Amino acid sequence: MCLKHLWVVAFKLWLVFLMKCCPFWVLLLLLLIIGYVAIGNEPFLSSYNGQYLNLVIPAITNIQQSLVKANLAGYVKIVVPCNADAYESSGGLPSQGVFRSELTQIITQLVQFLNSNGSPFVVNIYPFLSLYDNGDFPGDYAFFQGTTHAVTDGSNVYTNAFDGNYDTLVSALGKLGYGQMPIVIGEIGWPSDGAVGANLTAARVFNQGLVYHIASNKGTPLRPNVPPMDVYLFGLLDEGAKSTLPGNFERHWGIFSFDGQAKYSLNLGLGNKELRNARNVEYLPSRWCVANPLRDLTNVVNHMKIACSVADCTTLNYGGSCNEIGEKGNISYAFNSYYQLRMQDSQSCEFDGLGMVTFLDPSVGDCHFLVGVIDKGLNSSASQTTCQSWFLVLFLILHWTFLLSM
């Protein structure tokens, strides 16, 4: 690994710490080292029915003009993250990849702009969605462990959906005359809950297979020995308030749970090092809100709706880890999710007398009833002083490492 790469690794490691202790300084630092500006996110999605097509080119033109005026055009590149549904192929063969007909003109303009400004093509690829949206999609083809449903395309054989999808994009770009354009994977991952096929085992197998596949530098049949320019695993943490379109799994992409605990072992290609849990997490007391077994729960529906409109109840739906815990279990899970989100406020477990606090963990099998965490904040002057000291250390380390890499 060259010194320039060490500089990048050192920065990323220290950035994690700085983001926690002093977000102001991180923001200041980010303003100095931003490499890309994304114009929208997946603006060409077919579900948008073309409503953003006329906005993309004017937007990138305006931002580019601003970068030029600020003398930053040579350092900051504009990208437009696209969803994989921007392209398609006849018969599912990667070599037949083309951009959707209604996008041909605007994509041509986009790639011309990207090429002239040294920007990569950014695409989000989700084999899970292919499996989720198509009941006939072969499950083993979504992973990297080999398949009984390999796709033969001339002399090329595809054993996983990622390579097939990626080369479909390569082919589509090639038909526009930009077959060598660098590609960045802006998002890729596998959810751990909220749908059939979304579970901890599948998420670990997919993400670990992806890491090893990219780290092997084998590339794809159409780009052998040339892996993507960058790959961004989606995502870091679960998002309990995220929209559930197109499915309940949308809140469960994280490799860490909400409290910073690793969901499963995952080697990110850094030797034998695996994910580490967040340390010094302070939890609320070990108590839970559950359905009162002595009360008639006939009229509980409205209370559940209120609880789940605020808290995350997506694990209760079909395919979720808490889908089979019974009616009272469902009620208790909804009550408790709301109770913990409200920091265990005593009034938040009332539900007109239908809820009660228990000190016995009601978790069942893979269905875990969470306990909330204490938000300590970092407002003390001592914390700020420590943060500023670490920022100075970071600056000096990065400064000298960068000079040595020149």
Side-chain angles (χ1 to χ4, degrees):
M1 181 180 288
C2 68
L3 286 173
K4 187 173 183 180
H5 287 165
L6 286 174
W7 179 85
V8 174
V9 172
F11 169 76
K12 289 181 178 179
L13 291 174
W14 282 93
L15 186 62
V16 172
F17 172 79
L18 288 172
M19 186 65 76
K20 178 66 177 177
C21 79
C22 43
F24 170 78
W25 291 102
V26 172
L27 178 60
L28 181 62
L29 189 61
L30 287 176
L31 290 175
L32 299 176
I33 54 85
I34 289 174
Y36 298 108
V37 173
I39 306 302
N41 184 47
E42 302 181 345
F44 307 131
L45 271 175
S46 56
S47 59
Y48 290 154
N49 297 315
Q51 62 180 308
Y52 301 117
L53 295 190
N54 295 328
L55 302 178
V56 174
I57 299 303
I60 64 176
T61 301
N62 288 339
I63 298 299
Q64 181 66 16
Q65 290 174 349
S66 298
L67 291 173
V68 170
K69 290 180 181 179
N71 295 317
L72 292 174
Y75 305 97
V76 179
K77 303 299 180 181
I78 292 175
V79 295
V80 179
C82 293
N83 187 278
D85 85 338
Y87 47 90
E88 55 196 8
S89 66
S90 175
L93 299 178
S95 63
Q96 301 303 308
V98 294
F99 288 101
R100 297 200 324 262
S101 57
E102 70 272 23
L103 298 179
T104 301
Q105 180 178 0
I106 189 171
I107 291 291
T108 300
Q109 292 177 282
L110 173 61
V111 294
Q112 288 173 344
F113 171 87
L114 297 175
N115 184 66
S116 63
N117 289 281
S119 298
F121 192 98
V122 178
V123 63
N124 303 333
I125 296 177
Y126 285 106
F128 169 79
L129 293 181
S130 298
L131 182 63
Y132 179 78
D133 292 333
N134 184 358
D136 296 326
F137 189 88
D140 57 0
Y141 188 62
F143 298 89
F144 298 90
Q145 282 67 45
T147 178
T148 57
H149 301 83
V151 174
T152 300
D153 187 3
S155 60
N156 295 324
V157 178
Y158 292 87
T159 60
N160 66 81
F162 172 77
D163 284 356
N165 195 308
Y166 188 88
D167 275 2
T168 302
L169 171 59
V170 172
S171 294
L173 289 170
K175 290 179 176 63
L176 297 182
Y178 296 90
Q180 301 304 313
M181 174 168 282
I183 296 174
V184 168
I185 307 300
E187 295 179 12
I188 187 170
W190 198 280
S192 61
D193 211 331
V196 174
N199 54 69
L200 293 173
T201 298
R204 183 192 64 78
V205 171
F206 178 84
N207 286 332
Q208 190 63 80
L210 172 70
V211 170
Y212 288 153
H213 184 64
I214 297 300
S216 72
N217 291 320
K218 292 181 180 179
T220 63
L222 292 186
R223 286 192 176 180
N225 304 314
V226 183
M229 182 177 173
D230 281 309
V231 177
Y232 293 90
L233 191 63
F234 188 84
L236 183 63
L237 298 168
D238 281 349
E239 301 174 84
K242 187 179 181 181
S243 168
T244 54
L245 295 176
N248 294 310
F249 55 82
E250 285 291 352
R251 296 181 176 181
H252 303 280
W253 291 99
I255 58 177
F256 290 91
S257 54
F258 78 100
D259 54 354
Q261 306 304 295
K263 294 181 181 178
Y264 43 79
S265 61
L266 182 65
N267 188 317
L268 294 178
L270 302 174
N272 294 322
K273 296 180 180 179
E274 296 189 347
L275 300 181
R276 290 190 176 184
N277 294 330
R279 293 180 293 180
N280 302 319
V281 178
E282 291 190 19
Y283 292 89
L284 295 169
S286 296
R287 57 190 180 211
W288 298 262
C289 179
V290 297
N292 190 331
L294 302 179
R295 296 296 301 271
D296 180 4
L297 300 176
T298 302
N299 298 317
V300 76
V301 175
N302 288 335
H303 293 293
M304 284 193 67
K305 287 182 178 179
I306 292 174
C308 292
S309 69
V310 177
D312 177 31
C313 299
T314 53
T315 60
L316 296 176
N317 293 283
Y318 179 66
S321 59
C322 297
N323 177 241
E324 299 180 351
I325 60 174
E327 181 181 8
K328 288 187 177 180
N330 291 343
I331 297 169
S332 293
Y333 187 90
F335 282 5
N336 183 67
S337 297
Y338 180 83
Y339 176 65
Q340 303 297 338
L341 193 63
R342 295 298 188 188
M343 305 300 288
Q344 296 186 357
D345 179 88
S346 59
Q347 298 298 315
S348 64
C349 190
E350 285 294 330
F351 299 105
D352 289 338
L354 300 182
M356 60 172 284
V357 174
T358 179
F359 295 93
L360 298 177
D361 187 350
S363 299
V364 180
D366 293 331
C367 178
H368 300 289
F369 282 58
L370 63 85
V371 172
V373 298
I374 298 173
D375 184 6
K376 296 182 294 183
L378 287 169
N379 298 319
S380 70
S381 59
S383 296
Q384 293 299 320
T385 300
T386 300
C387 177
Q388 292 170 12
S389 299
W390 279 115
F391 182 85
L392 179 60
V393 171
L394 167 66
F395 177 81
L396 293 174
I397 290 175
L398 295 182
H399 175 71
W400 285 106
T401 307
F402 180 75
L403 289 179
L404 290 172
S405 70
M406 298 298 288

